Amino acid sequence: MSNEERTFIAIKPDGVQRGLIGDIIKRFEQKGFKLVAMKFTQASESLLKEHYIDLKDRPFYPELVNYMASGPVVAMVWEGLNAVKTGRVMLGETNPADSKPGTIRGDYCIQVGRNIIHGSDSVKSANTEINLWFKPEELCSYESCAHTWLY
Ligand code: IDP
Ligand code: MG
């Protein structure tokens, strides 16, 4: 286990449009995770198809790509001990209806097709997604002054 584990988190177009960027970023900051990269971007269809390639045979795949392309997203890399697993816990379940209050999806959304946030589901997919969304030079290397107070 590493304090430098990284996860890819993206605020989806509905999260952006509904004014939830600040609240979502705040949760990751307050948890103690370290922001390594962030961009506000309109993702291309080809990037989104690749991002969700594992779901290409699911009936909702075309609609999912359209939804993700419907507006800008906030793409981020957060770092810390168990960042992938803890990130998923912070998101809640895929279906907001199954997500507990206190989780991001449990607190801010209703339907599975409008679930406002993406988070990597394994360290392997996190690395794939980080490489897909960011160039190596876009990942910032710096020391957080909070580090010794967190670990
Ligand atoms: P995850 O985002 O929690 O990892 P996945 O199963 O990887 O969930 O699905 C990716 C995204 O596809 C979900 O976040 C959601 O936006 C969408 N999605 C998943 N299942 C459905 C569905 O049954 N109908 C519509 N959209 C879905
Ligand atoms: Mg997933």
Side-chain angles (χ1 to χ4, degrees):
M1 279 193 282
S2 152
N3 298 347
E4 275 113 54
E5 184 174 299
R6 289 175 173 183
T7 189
F8 175 74
I9 299 291
I11 305 172
K12 297 179 178 183
D14 47 346
V16 171
Q17 292 288 351
R18 292 184 47 220
L20 298 172
I21 296 172
D23 284 328
I24 290 171
I25 291 175
K26 187 178 186 182
R27 290 184 181 219
F28 284 86
E29 274 192 314
Q30 290 188 330
K31 177 70 179 169
F33 288 135
K34 178 180 163 186
L35 185 61
V36 167
M38 175 161 66
K39 66 171 111 176
F40 184 56
T41 179
Q42 170 73 56
S44 69
E45 204 183 298
S46 62
L47 185 152
L48 294 167
K49 283 183 168 165
E50 182 62 28
H51 175 79
Y52 281 124
I53 196 72
D54 291 350
L55 300 173
K56 67 177 186 317
D57 297 326
R58 304 295 287 275
F60 57 82
Y61 178 70
E63 177 48 38
L64 173 60
V65 172
N66 282 344
Y67 157 50
M68 290 297 290
S70 65
V73 301
V74 180
M76 298 172 278
V77 178
W78 288 92
E79 182 180 281
L81 183 65
N82 289 321
V84 170
K85 186 164 175 260
T86 302
R88 291 286 292 195
V89 173
M90 291 166 67
L91 261 59
E93 301 300 319
T94 302
N95 189 339
D98 301 328
S99 300
K100 293 201 169 63
T103 65
I104 293 167
R105 286 168 173 166
D107 286 350
Y108 297 129
C109 54
I110 295 171
Q111 276 204 331
V112 70
R114 295 289 183 271
N115 64 359
I116 73 163
I117 187 164
H118 167 82
S120 308
D121 64 5
S122 67
V123 172
K124 187 170 176 283
S125 57
N127 290 332
T128 305
E129 292 168 1
I130 290 166
N131 288 328
L132 183 66
W133 286 80
F134 291 97
K135 300 185 193 115
E137 63 268 27
E138 290 174 324
L139 305 174
C140 295
S141 175
Y142 68 102
E143 249 171 63
S144 165
C145 68
H147 189 271
T148 48
W149 300 100
L150 287 161
Y151 297 102

